[in-house]
Amino acid sequence: MSNVKLDKYAVFGSPIKHSKSPVIHQLFAGQTGQDLSYDAIEVTAEDFIKSVDTFFAEGGKGLNCTVPLKELAWQYADNKSQRAEISKAVNTLILQEDGSIFGENTDGIGLLRDLVINHAINLEGKRILVLGAGGASRGILGPLLEQLPSCIFIANRTISKALDLAHEFSEKGAISGCGYTDLDDKKFDLILNATSASLSDQLPPLPEALLEKNGVCYDLAYGNKPTAFVRWGLEHKAAQSLDGLGMLVEQAAEAFYLWRGVRPDTRLVIEQIKIAVD
Ligand code: NDP
């Protein structure tokens, strides 16, 4: 049996050492009876094209790309889904039968599955605030707008980036960009933290009365302990204050489905990963 060649998948990124993706995909594979290998490989932006070319030339079937490679992956893909096209970022590359490479962005669908299915949060008619205007925000705005919220505000430290992003998505719904000081007189039902501040246990400067009664806080980041933003949500009496572990597993499940045509049971894996994180 040891001679059997496993279908090869990987995640490229930098830094990548602490990635949970190999564990998640091995759990999916075990659960669905799929034989595959999945490795985390350190790849910088400079080495990206050469590394992806080599990976597929050596029989790779699919790749995930994370920080700082999602925009490069978007450029690399021969064809893209509409979702990936709009977000200008790709986190999943798929080898097609004709040898071409298809690019998808599963971050937005991963976030929605975690919010709407796992946590029963309805977004229709809700006021949503997205903190941050980087790659993650770009990936989630389209799918969020499809849920028909009453409005989305994007607040960012560099205000011009929030304004530009809001402008790009303005045909898809009511969306505005602003800086943090513009939030003083506003309230939201759902606040999503898509800044990388949590990674250094920091918080963007948020006004005290930002969250509606029964509002929900969601940090796209996750860690062994509650992130600074999850703690902020708890301190401000959020009905739920969640981290991005569920999104991580859900976006991985969507990639797994695109590669293998089988949908794993994510709830089970979220629980297993939580135990591994604790
Ligand atoms: P980017 O580097 O593209 O963007 C970072 C954003 O954070 C920018 O808007 C930046 O503002 C802002 N920012 C950074 N530090 C601070 C700070 N101290 N105060 C206020 N704002 C700050 O990162 P990504 O968009 O790729 O990732 C953002 C987060 O989302 C990360 O924590 C990442 O781990 C998480 N993520 C989670 C996923 C999941 O599956 N759970 C999937 C994808 C991302 P400025 O423009 O002014 O520099």
Side-chain angles (χ1 to χ4, degrees):
M1 285 303 279
S2 57
N3 290 336
V4 176
K5 262 200 164 173
L6 296 176
D7 285 351
K8 198 166 81 153
Y9 299 87
V11 57
F12 283 4
S14 181
I16 202 67
K17 210 169 60 196
H18 300 294
S19 171
K20 299 192 191 321
S21 294
V23 177
I24 292 172
H25 281 279
Q26 288 306 340
L27 287 169
F28 289 164
Q31 192 195 83
T32 57
Q34 302 277 309
D35 283 330
L36 54 87
S37 68
Y38 187 107
D39 296 308
I41 301 172
E42 179 82 24
V43 173
T44 61
E46 292 70 42
D47 295 336
F48 180 73
I49 295 178
K50 191 168 56 115
S51 305
V52 182
D53 282 347
T54 307
F55 179 80
F56 283 115
E58 290 178 349
K61 301 273 187 206
L63 265 185
N64 284 137
C65 298
T66 186
V67 177
L69 308 173
K70 290 183 189 178
E71 283 170 30
L72 292 172
W74 181 82
Q75 288 168 20
Y76 187 95
D78 299 306
N79 301 293
K80 284 160 272 222
S81 70
Q82 200 195 9
R83 195 187 293 151
E85 200 64 82
I86 295 167
S87 69
K88 295 202 173 80
V90 154
N91 72 344
T92 305
L93 293 173
I94 305 147
L95 177 68
Q96 305 288 94
E97 274 181 14
D98 64 2
S100 67
I101 304 294
F102 187 78
E104 177 60 287
N105 187 329
T106 66
D107 281 342
I109 192 83
L111 171 67
L112 280 190
R113 287 231 168 88
D114 198 36
L115 281 172
V116 177
I117 300 175
N118 298 344
H119 297 288
I121 297 164
N122 176 17
L123 304 183
E124 193 175 340
K126 298 289 165 60
R127 289 174 57 83
I128 299 179
L129 172 63
V130 175
L131 308 173
S137 298
R138 187 174 275 289
I140 64 175
L141 287 174
L144 284 172
L145 283 165
E146 283 167 19
Q147 298 293 303
L148 305 177
S150 73
C151 65
I152 295 183
F153 275 75
I154 309 165
N156 197 43
R157 189 171 57 177
T158 311
I159 300 175
S160 59
K161 280 170 69 181
L163 295 175
D164 289 349
L165 203 50
H167 181 69
E168 273 187 57
F169 283 86
S170 58
E171 281 177 14
K172 303 204 161 294
I175 182 162
S176 325
C178 64
Y180 287 108
T181 51
D182 301 310
L183 296 174
D184 286 345
D185 58 347
K186 297 181 178 59
K187 277 187 179 288
F188 296 92
D189 303 300
L190 170 65
I191 307 176
L192 294 158
N193 181 25
T195 72
S196 45
S198 286
L199 302 178
S200 45
D201 207 32
Q202 290 180 334
L203 261 184
L206 302 177
E208 286 299 313
L210 193 60
L211 191 64
E212 281 287 2
K213 196 161 180 268
N214 293 324
V216 172
C217 289
Y218 192 105
D219 198 341
L220 272 64
Y222 49 85
N224 296 352
K225 298 196 183 101
T227 66
F229 182 69
V230 167
R231 296 198 305 272
W232 186 91
L234 294 171
E235 284 156 17
H236 291 79
K237 309 227 171 342
Q240 300 187 68
S241 194
L242 306 162
D243 73 14
L245 192 67
M247 172 181 174
L248 178 78
V249 174
E250 293 293 348
Q251 62 78 28
E254 187 66 15
F256 190 89
Y257 174 71
L258 291 169
W259 292 330
R260 309 298 296 183
V262 197
R263 216 172 261 294
D265 180 343
T266 48
R267 287 193 194 217
L268 212 59
V269 173
I270 291 169
E271 289 313 314
Q272 286 166 305
I273 294 288
K274 265 189 199 153
I275 293 164
V277 167
D278 286 346

PDB file of all heavy atoms in Angstrom, residues 141-158:
ATOM      1  N   LEU A 141     -17.181  40.968   1.633  1.00  0.00           N
ATOM      2  CA  LEU A 141     -18.212  41.991   1.390  1.00  0.00           C
ATOM      3  C   LEU A 141     -19.289  41.528   0.413  1.00  0.00           C
ATOM      4  O   LEU A 141     -20.483  41.756   0.651  1.00  0.00           O
ATOM      5  CB  LEU A 141     -17.563  43.284   0.882  1.00  0.00           C
ATOM      6  CG  LEU A 141     -16.805  44.069   1.960  1.00  0.00           C
ATOM      7  CD1 LEU A 141     -16.068  45.254   1.329  1.00  0.00           C
ATOM      8  CD2 LEU A 141     -17.750  44.557   3.054  1.00  0.00           C
ATOM      9  N   GLY A 142     -18.894  40.881  -0.688  1.00  0.00           N
ATOM     10  CA  GLY A 142     -19.885  40.427  -1.673  1.00  0.00           C
ATOM     11  C   GLY A 142     -20.891  39.467  -1.045  1.00  0.00           C
ATOM     12  O   GLY A 142     -22.107  39.721  -1.084  1.00  0.00           O
ATOM     13  N   PRO A 143     -20.412  38.355  -0.437  1.00  0.00           N
ATOM     14  CA  PRO A 143     -21.348  37.422   0.201  1.00  0.00           C
ATOM     15  C   PRO A 143     -22.186  38.078   1.308  1.00  0.00           C
ATOM     16  O   PRO A 143     -23.364  37.746   1.457  1.00  0.00           O
ATOM     17  CB  PRO A 143     -20.423  36.343   0.785  1.00  0.00           C
ATOM     18  CG  PRO A 143     -19.229  36.365  -0.116  1.00  0.00           C
ATOM     19  CD  PRO A 143     -19.050  37.798  -0.514  1.00  0.00           C
ATOM     20  N   LEU A 144     -21.628  39.031   2.054  1.00  0.00           N
ATOM     21  CA  LEU A 144     -22.425  39.709   3.090  1.00  0.00           C
ATOM     22  C   LEU A 144     -23.550  40.515   2.451  1.00  0.00           C
ATOM     23  O   LEU A 144     -24.706  40.466   2.904  1.00  0.00           O
ATOM     24  CB  LEU A 144     -21.547  40.654   3.927  1.00  0.00           C
ATOM     25  CG  LEU A 144     -20.625  40.023   4.973  1.00  0.00           C
ATOM     26  CD1 LEU A 144     -19.702  41.080   5.569  1.00  0.00           C
ATOM     27  CD2 LEU A 144     -21.420  39.327   6.083  1.00  0.00           C
ATOM     28  N   LEU A 145     -23.248  41.241   1.383  1.00  0.00           N
ATOM     29  CA  LEU A 145     -24.271  42.068   0.720  1.00  0.00           C
ATOM     30  C   LEU A 145     -25.382  41.201   0.136  1.00  0.00           C
ATOM     31  O   LEU A 145     -26.544  41.621   0.095  1.00  0.00           O
ATOM     32  CB  LEU A 145     -23.626  42.930  -0.368  1.00  0.00           C
ATOM     33  CG  LEU A 145     -22.859  44.157   0.166  1.00  0.00           C
ATOM     34  CD1 LEU A 145     -21.944  44.738  -0.912  1.00  0.00           C
ATOM     35  CD2 LEU A 145     -23.820  45.227   0.678  1.00  0.00           C
ATOM     36  N   GLU A 146     -25.035  39.971  -0.293  1.00  0.00           N
ATOM     37  CA  GLU A 146     -26.062  39.069  -0.846  1.00  0.00           C
ATOM     38  C   GLU A 146     -27.101  38.684   0.211  1.00  0.00           C
ATOM     39  O   GLU A 146     -28.190  38.229  -0.115  1.00  0.00           O
ATOM     40  CB  GLU A 146     -25.405  37.800  -1.401  1.00  0.00           C
ATOM     41  CG  GLU A 146     -24.737  38.034  -2.742  1.00  0.00           C
ATOM     42  CD  GLU A 146     -23.833  36.882  -3.141  1.00  0.00           C
ATOM     43  OE1 GLU A 146     -23.983  35.770  -2.595  1.00  0.00           O
ATOM     44  OE2 GLU A 146     -22.946  37.111  -4.007  1.00  0.00           O
ATOM     45  N   GLN A 147     -26.759  38.844   1.490  1.00  0.00           N
ATOM     46  CA  GLN A 147     -27.712  38.517   2.564  1.00  0.00           C
ATOM     47  C   GLN A 147     -28.692  39.661   2.844  1.00  0.00           C
ATOM     48  O   GLN A 147     -29.471  39.602   3.787  1.00  0.00           O
ATOM     49  CB  GLN A 147     -26.953  38.175   3.858  1.00  0.00           C
ATOM     50  CG  GLN A 147     -26.055  36.966   3.747  1.00  0.00           C
ATOM     51  CD  GLN A 147     -26.837  35.691   3.545  1.00  0.00           C
ATOM     52  OE1 GLN A 147     -27.697  35.341   4.345  1.00  0.00           O
ATOM     53  NE2 GLN A 147     -26.571  34.992   2.451  1.00  0.00           N
ATOM     54  N   LEU A 148     -28.604  40.728   2.061  1.00  0.00           N
ATOM     55  CA  LEU A 148     -29.512  41.876   2.132  1.00  0.00           C
ATOM     56  C   LEU A 148     -29.555  42.566   3.499  1.00  0.00           C
ATOM     57  O   LEU A 148     -30.638  42.793   4.072  1.00  0.00           O
ATOM     58  CB  LEU A 148     -30.935  41.467   1.707  1.00  0.00           C
ATOM     59  CG  LEU A 148     -31.030  40.805   0.333  1.00  0.00           C
ATOM     60  CD1 LEU A 148     -32.464  40.377   0.043  1.00  0.00           C
ATOM     61  CD2 LEU A 148     -30.528  41.752  -0.767  1.00  0.00           C
ATOM     62  N   PRO A 149     -28.401  42.932   4.039  1.00  0.00           N
ATOM     63  CA  PRO A 149     -28.417  43.748   5.260  1.00  0.00           C
ATOM     64  C   PRO A 149     -28.972  45.137   4.922  1.00  0.00           C
ATOM     65  O   PRO A 149     -28.987  45.503   3.740  1.00  0.00           O
ATOM     66  CB  PRO A 149     -26.927  43.843   5.633  1.00  0.00           C
ATOM     67  CG  PRO A 149     -26.193  43.656   4.355  1.00  0.00           C
ATOM     68  CD  PRO A 149     -27.041  42.733   3.506  1.00  0.00           C
ATOM     69  N   SER A 150     -29.413  45.902   5.938  1.00  0.00           N
ATOM     70  CA  SER A 150     -29.933  47.240   5.602  1.00  0.00           C
ATOM     71  C   SER A 150     -28.772  48.147   5.184  1.00  0.00           C
ATOM     72  O   SER A 150     -28.937  49.009   4.341  1.00  0.00           O
ATOM     73  CB  SER A 150     -30.724  47.839   6.761  1.00  0.00           C
ATOM     74  OG  SER A 150     -29.860  48.240   7.786  1.00  0.00           O
ATOM     75  N   CYS A 151     -27.585  47.953   5.783  1.00  0.00           N
ATOM     76  CA  CYS A 151     -26.399  48.712   5.338  1.00  0.00           C
ATOM     77  C   CYS A 151     -25.126  48.037   5.836  1.00  0.00           C
ATOM     78  O   CYS A 151     -25.163  47.262   6.798  1.00  0.00           O
ATOM     79  CB  CYS A 151     -26.442  50.143   5.867  1.00  0.00           C
ATOM     80  SG  CYS A 151     -26.341  50.233   7.645  1.00  0.00           S
ATOM     81  N   ILE A 152     -24.033  48.317   5.150  1.00  0.00           N
ATOM     82  CA  ILE A 152     -22.707  47.907   5.644  1.00  0.00           C
ATOM     83  C   ILE A 152     -21.835  49.153   5.702  1.00  0.00           C
ATOM     84  O   ILE A 152     -21.773  49.914   4.733  1.00  0.00           O
ATOM     85  CB  ILE A 152     -22.045  46.858   4.725  1.00  0.00           C
ATOM     86  CG1 ILE A 152     -22.847  45.553   4.719  1.00  0.00           C
ATOM     87  CG2 ILE A 152     -20.599  46.591   5.176  1.00  0.00           C
ATOM     88  CD1 ILE A 152     -22.222  44.425   3.894  1.00  0.00           C
ATOM     89  N   PHE A 153     -21.193  49.365   6.854  1.00  0.00           N
ATOM     90  CA  PHE A 153     -20.159  50.394   6.982  1.00  0.00           C
ATOM     91  C   PHE A 153     -18.809  49.676   7.058  1.00  0.00           C
ATOM     92  O   PHE A 153     -18.691  48.658   7.742  1.00  0.00           O
ATOM     93  CB  PHE A 153     -20.346  51.230   8.255  1.00  0.00           C
ATOM     94  CG  PHE A 153     -21.299  52.369   8.076  1.00  0.00           C
ATOM     95  CD1 PHE A 153     -22.664  52.148   8.008  1.00  0.00           C
ATOM     96  CD2 PHE A 153     -20.830  53.672   7.962  1.00  0.00           C
ATOM     97  CE1 PHE A 153     -23.551  53.200   7.828  1.00  0.00           C
ATOM     98  CE2 PHE A 153     -21.705  54.728   7.777  1.00  0.00           C
ATOM     99  CZ  PHE A 153     -23.068  54.499   7.709  1.00  0.00           C
ATOM    100  N   ILE A 154     -17.807  50.213   6.344  1.00  0.00           N
ATOM    101  CA  ILE A 154     -16.433  49.711   6.486  1.00  0.00           C
ATOM    102  C   ILE A 154     -15.651  50.818   7.176  1.00  0.00           C
ATOM    103  O   ILE A 154     -15.587  51.943   6.659  1.00  0.00           O
ATOM    104  CB  ILE A 154     -15.760  49.470   5.118  1.00  0.00           C
ATOM    105  CG1 ILE A 154     -16.642  48.618   4.207  1.00  0.00           C
ATOM    106  CG2 ILE A 154     -14.382  48.839   5.292  1.00  0.00           C
ATOM    107  CD1 ILE A 154     -16.177  48.663   2.756  1.00  0.00           C
ATOM    108  N   ALA A 155     -15.068  50.514   8.341  1.00  0.00           N
ATOM    109  CA  ALA A 155     -14.229  51.507   9.022  1.00  0.00           C
ATOM    110  C   ALA A 155     -12.779  51.045   8.943  1.00  0.00           C
ATOM    111  O   ALA A 155     -12.493  49.863   9.181  1.00  0.00           O
ATOM    112  CB  ALA A 155     -14.645  51.646  10.479  1.00  0.00           C
ATOM    113  N   ASN A 156     -11.893  51.958   8.598  1.00  0.00           N
ATOM    114  CA  ASN A 156     -10.483  51.563   8.517  1.00  0.00           C
ATOM    115  C   ASN A 156      -9.581  52.689   8.994  1.00  0.00           C
ATOM    116  O   ASN A 156      -9.920  53.862   8.908  1.00  0.00           O
ATOM    117  CB  ASN A 156     -10.119  51.176   7.075  1.00  0.00           C
ATOM    118  CG  ASN A 156      -8.831  50.378   7.014  1.00  0.00           C
ATOM    119  OD1 ASN A 156      -8.625  49.478   7.832  1.00  0.00           O
ATOM    120  ND2 ASN A 156      -7.950  50.698   6.084  1.00  0.00           N
ATOM    121  N   ARG A 157      -8.409  52.267   9.533  1.00  0.00           N
ATOM    122  CA  ARG A 157      -7.386  53.209   9.993  1.00  0.00           C
ATOM    123  C   ARG A 157      -6.978  54.124   8.829  1.00  0.00           C
ATOM    124  O   ARG A 157      -6.969  55.335   8.963  1.00  0.00           O
ATOM    125  CB  ARG A 157      -6.201  52.364  10.503  1.00  0.00           C
ATOM    126  CG  ARG A 157      -5.132  53.078  11.209  1.00  0.00           C
ATOM    127  CD  ARG A 157      -4.189  52.063  11.812  1.00  0.00           C
ATOM    128  NE  ARG A 157      -3.609  51.143  10.824  1.00  0.00           N
ATOM    129  CZ  ARG A 157      -2.725  50.208  11.097  1.00  0.00           C
ATOM    130  NH1 ARG A 157      -2.309  50.046  12.342  1.00  0.00           N
ATOM    131  NH2 ARG A 157      -2.253  49.417  10.155  1.00  0.00           N
ATOM    132  N   THR A 158      -6.664  53.530   7.693  1.00  0.00           N
ATOM    133  CA  THR A 158      -6.365  54.314   6.493  1.00  0.00           C
ATOM    134  C   THR A 158      -7.700  54.537   5.776  1.00  0.00           C
ATOM    135  O   THR A 158      -8.213  53.637   5.099  1.00  0.00           O
ATOM    136  CB  THR A 158      -5.392  53.543   5.570  1.00  0.00           C
ATOM    137  OG1 THR A 158      -4.306  53.073   6.363  1.00  0.00           O
ATOM    138  CG2 THR A 158      -4.885  54.412   4.432  1.00  0.00           C
TER     139      THR A 158
END
